[in-house]
Structures are given as C-alpha cells and as structure tokens.
Amino acid sequence: MGSTRNAAATVLLASSLASAAGAQTTPALDVLHARLDKAAEAVMPKVVTWRRDLHAHPELGNQETRTSAFLAAELRRMGYEVTSGVARTGVVAVLRGGKPGPVVALRADMDGLPVTEETGLPFASNARGQYNGREVGVMHACGHDFHMSILLGAAEVLAGMKADLSGTVKIVFQPAEEGVPGEPGGAEVMVKEGVLENPKVDAMFGLHVGITPLEAGSITFRPKGLMAAGDTYRIVVKGRQTHGAMPWAGVDPIVVASQIVLGLQTIVSRQIDLTTAPAVVTVGTIEGGSRHNIVPDQVRMSGTIRTFDPEMRKEILARVKRTAEDIASAAGATAELILDEGYPATWNDSALTERMTPSLKRVAAGTFNPNAQPTTTSEDFSFYGQKVPALYFFLGVAPKGADPSAWAANHSPRFSPDEAALITGVRALASLAVDFLAGAGK
Ligand SMILES: [Zn+2]
Ligand SMILES: [Zn+2]
C-alpha cells in the first residue's frame, strides 16, 4: 500500500512540475482549445443580447453611427486599443498578445438593408431610413447582426486569452458591405485607409451566415473563388427616331437592343471555356419607346456579370463591350457601354485554406464541407483577399429539420437565422485566430 501511495505522489509531483514548466511557454493547442471552448460557452448570453440589440437597431450603409459607438464601447471594455471613424463608421481594434508573433485580422460587416422586416420576432426592427431619396424600412436582412455579435464574442474570448497569444489580433468592423448608390464605402475604402497596415495583417478571416439553406452550425467553403465578382453594366443604344409605319426612314434601336440581348447570351455559352469556372451575363432591364407607332431614338439596358476567375472576368467584360458596339454598328446604330466595376471574386488563398481547414472542422456542427460549390453572390471581403491571404466561409443558420425549399434566404424580409449557430461562429473565428497565431498546421 505504502509504496503504491509513494508512486502516486511521485506522479502528481511530476505532473505539477510539467504544468509549472508549461506555464512559461505557450500551452499546447488542445489546452488552448479547451479554454477557448469554455470561454465561448460563457460569453454566449452576451452574444445573444448583443445580437438582439443590434437586430432591433439596424442602420443603412455609411450611416452605422449607433452601431459603431456600440461596438467601440464593448471593445474598449474588453481592453482593446480602438480606432473609430475608419471609412466613416468603421471600427478597428487591436489586441497585442503576451508574446511576439504574426498579425491576424477578423472582419464583420455592419450595415442593414432597405427591407421592411416581416419576421414577427419580438426584437424585430421598426427602423426607417432614407435610401435613394425614398423613405424605407431598415432590417438586418443579410445577417450582419449575427456577424457583429459573433465577432464581439470572439473578441471577448481572445481578450481573455491575451497572455497566451503569440502575436496580435486585429478586429475589423466594416460599414457599407452592401454598397451605397453613388457613395464610396465598405472594404475598398477600409483598405485605402490602411486597415491592413500598422500592424501589417498576415492573414484575414471572415464569415457569412446563410447564403445556402444548411442547418445551424454547418461550415462550408472552398479554396480559390468562393463568391463571384459582380459587375454592373449599362448600355445605351442610339438609333434615329421615325414613324413606326416607316422604319426604313430611321434606325430602330429596339431591334438592335434585342439582337444585343441575344448576342450577350453567346459570350458565356459559346466564347469562354466553361470548364475553367462558371460565369453569368444577365440583362436585367430594357427600356425604350413611348408609343406603339413610334420607333424611338434610344433604348437603355442594364445588367450584371458574375465571374469567379479574374482573367475570365477581364475577357468577358471586353467581349460584352465588343458585342454591344459591333451589333449596333452593323445596323447603323451606336451602343455605348458604361461599366460599373463591382466587387472582385472572393478568393480563398489555397495554402491558408488548407492550413486552417482542421480549425474549422473542429468547431463545425452539422455539415462540414471544405470543397463547397461557389455561389454567384458577391461580397466586398474580396478587397482584403486581393491584398493579404484570406479565408472566407459560410455558416449555416437554418433551423434544424427545416424544409430547405421553404427557406427564406438572405435579403428576404422573413430571413430569420437560428441563434443556435452563434456559438459555432464564435468558436470558429476565435479558433482561426488562436490556431493561426500558434502556428498550427505550418
Ligand atoms: Zn447581403
Ligand atoms: Zn451580407
């Protein structure tokens, strides 16, 4: 008995010596994960409260003043060095870990949409705003309230682990992701104002809720092009007005515009290599004429182009211009193309994506798919990915067992993500930061 007791005492002594030695170096990754998961559980009541408060008080792009003050106050309370007013209402916060190392940035977007909420939730928004000179209802219909509360939760978890972090965490709250007509804003302006510098960011992570009807806690992404580049174009076809009974006396822009619509559809189907990446050219509006018996002077058209490959994007934009101009010229008309370049493709750095896949796999609940299909929606997180290695992923928010065909998607007035996904989001962002700084998978 006595000797057994002595042996047990020796083992205890050895393990306490090991943990004392361990306290001077970075704890093992599984120890950090256990602490992270516990801290994430603990912060959840706050995350839910933040989410409902932000949901009830949405603000349109470039007008997120209440939201900005709310986020800055919480980050200061957590001990971050906070800079407000970046790209108008953006908030950037820095946490320097106890040991030197790289810089990791986590980003969430802050803006609501001109949508009148129809969820019937007790904390539904009654907010109103001005959009394009009109009064509109305002709602967090894209889930940016989820993104902000998840990132605040992750920020608090990381603040609690500050002493053990080898490097720096940069929290980026970005306004105007959805774009504001006629105004610069969002990620592009954040980058111009130096969000990726001082300290210089080595890797950046972000998430979007929904997009696909996957159940709460699911995580999906892919290397390379995840979300499309979205470019808007307008075409003005100019002919010559005449009597509808004597079309030969003028140049008919309606017939020319019709030929352009069909010509544009042959770019993707006949002229580019579809095995490289998918692409879409859509004509969304076509307006011309005032009366059944008048051939009008001009027709205006507009549409959107979605691409995943930067080279293919250039090629398609050039072909849209050429197709419109040459078809018009063949009829003796002119076509002017006005291109409004939108967000680039959201590009996941292949090496970073592979390296961080285990971090996301560890925290996913429900579906986990690191080779998901790309989506034709766009996202201005892409501007960060053009400058630094970045990884963007989707977080499922559909209630468990819900019928996918009845799902109200992002931008619907009935979009109502399941709060069960919040903890997965917090664990995911915090884990990406902790694992990246710890050099996991390197
Ligand atoms: Zn959106
Ligand atoms: Zn969004």
Side-chain angles (χ1 to χ4, degrees):
M1 280 299 276
S3 66
T4 316
R5 210 173 273 162
N6 281 344
T10 312
V11 169
L12 271 177
L13 180 66
S15 76
S16 66
L17 279 174
S19 66
Q24 283 148 27
T25 57
T26 303
L29 210 50
D30 55 344
V31 175
L32 288 175
H33 287 164
R35 284 177 46 199
L36 183 159
D37 291 346
K38 211 171 145 209
E41 283 285 351
V43 80
M44 285 323 293
K46 278 191 205 166
V47 173
V48 171
T49 306
W50 289 328
R51 185 263 157 159
R52 293 182 181 183
D53 188 307
L54 291 165
H55 187 86
H57 302 98
E59 293 170 301
L60 291 169
N62 286 340
Q63 301 173 30
E64 305 95 332
T65 48
R66 179 192 183 273
T67 307
S68 177
F70 180 102
L71 298 169
E74 290 295 342
L75 289 162
R76 276 198 194 97
R77 181 188 56 75
M78 293 174 200
Y80 282 77
E81 301 160 29
V82 179
T83 309
S84 294
V86 184
R88 292 200 197 192
T89 54
V91 179
V92 180
V94 172
L95 180 78
R96 292 175 209 277
K99 304 174 185 89
V103 179
V104 65
L106 305 174
R107 172 271 204 176
D109 38 12
M110 303 158 65
D111 50 329
L113 280 164
V115 172
T116 304
E117 181 155 357
E118 293 174 17
T119 60
L121 290 168
F123 49 89
S125 157
N126 298 312
R128 312 285 297 169
Q130 287 289 321
Y131 187 82
N132 264 347
R134 252 183 273 163
E135 197 193 309
V136 290
V138 183
M139 175 189 174
H140 270 301
C142 202
H144 299 182
D145 53 334
F146 259 57
H147 302 170
M148 288 186 280
S149 53
I150 285 171
L151 183 51
L152 272 185
E156 180 147 329
V157 168
L158 293 166
M161 300 175 74
K162 177 179 157 104
D164 286 324
L165 297 177
S166 306
T168 300
V169 176
K170 201 181 244 191
I171 302 292
V172 177
F173 284 105
Q174 175 218 301
E177 188 284 324
E178 302 279 0
V180 183
E183 285 180 29
E188 194 174 14
V189 179
M190 295 285 283
V191 171
K192 276 191 195 138
E193 292 191 9
V195 71
L196 301 174
E197 307 297 326
N198 294 326
K200 194 169 168 21
V201 171
D202 295 297
M204 191 145 183
F205 302 106
L207 65 83
H208 209 299
V209 296
I211 312 291
T212 62
L214 286 172
E215 85 174 60
S218 299
I219 290 182
T220 58
F221 54 96
R222 63 181 281 112
K224 300 183 179 172
L226 175 70
M227 299 177 83
D231 296 299
T232 305
Y233 65 88
R234 283 177 292 146
I235 296 173
V236 182
V237 180
K238 286 195 175 133
R240 201 168 65 247
Q241 187 159 327
T242 182
H243 199 295
M246 295 181 289
W248 56 85
V251 175
D252 187 347
I254 290 204
V255 171
V256 172
S258 309
Q259 289 175 313
I260 290 174
V261 171
L262 296 178
L264 293 179
Q265 290 316 306
T266 67
I267 294 173
V268 172
S269 67
R270 304 284 92 180
Q271 301 175 37
I272 59 155
D273 182 355
L274 277 173
T275 62
T276 309
V280 175
V281 177
T282 287
V283 178
T285 69
I286 172 159
E287 300 164 60
S290 57
R291 216 186 116 81
H292 67 280
N293 62 352
I294 298 175
V295 169
D297 223 25
Q298 65 174 38
V299 171
R300 292 174 168 273
M301 310 158 68
S302 71
T304 186
I305 299 166
R306 302 288 158 126
T307 51
F308 293 90
D309 182 277
E311 284 307 309
M312 190 186 285
R313 178 195 195 190
K314 273 190 228 155
E315 188 65 24
I316 289 178
L317 295 181
R319 283 172 190 263
V320 165
K321 181 173 161 65
R322 191 182 76 188
T323 302
E325 287 175 354
D326 289 3
I327 286 176
S329 138
T334 62
E336 188 195 354
L337 181 94
I338 302 117
L339 188 65
D340 182 3
E341 287 196 28
Y343 302 159
T346 302
W347 193 260
N348 283 337
D349 180 83
S350 295
L352 183 70
T353 304
E354 194 185 336
R355 188 182 149 195
M356 304 319 293
T357 295
S359 306
L360 291 175
K361 189 172 183 188
R362 189 184 78 81
V363 301
T367 303
F368 174 75
N369 185 357
N371 274 303
Q373 283 192 327
T375 83
T376 47
T377 50
S378 297
E379 163 63 54
D380 77 353
F381 185 80
S382 50
F383 286 106
Y384 307 115
Q386 284 190 324
K387 303 278 181 194
V388 297
L391 169 58
Y392 198 68
F393 60 95
F394 299 135
L395 176 66
V397 286
K400 199 171 182 175
D403 173 7
S405 65
W407 185 60
N410 304 61
H411 291 203
S412 160
R414 292 174 303 285
F415 180 62
S416 182
D418 186 346
E419 289 178 346
L422 289 169
I423 186 152
T424 309
V426 171
R427 290 178 72 213
L429 290 185
S431 295
L432 286 167
V434 164
D435 293 359
F436 181 82
L437 295 183
K442 231 175 139 178

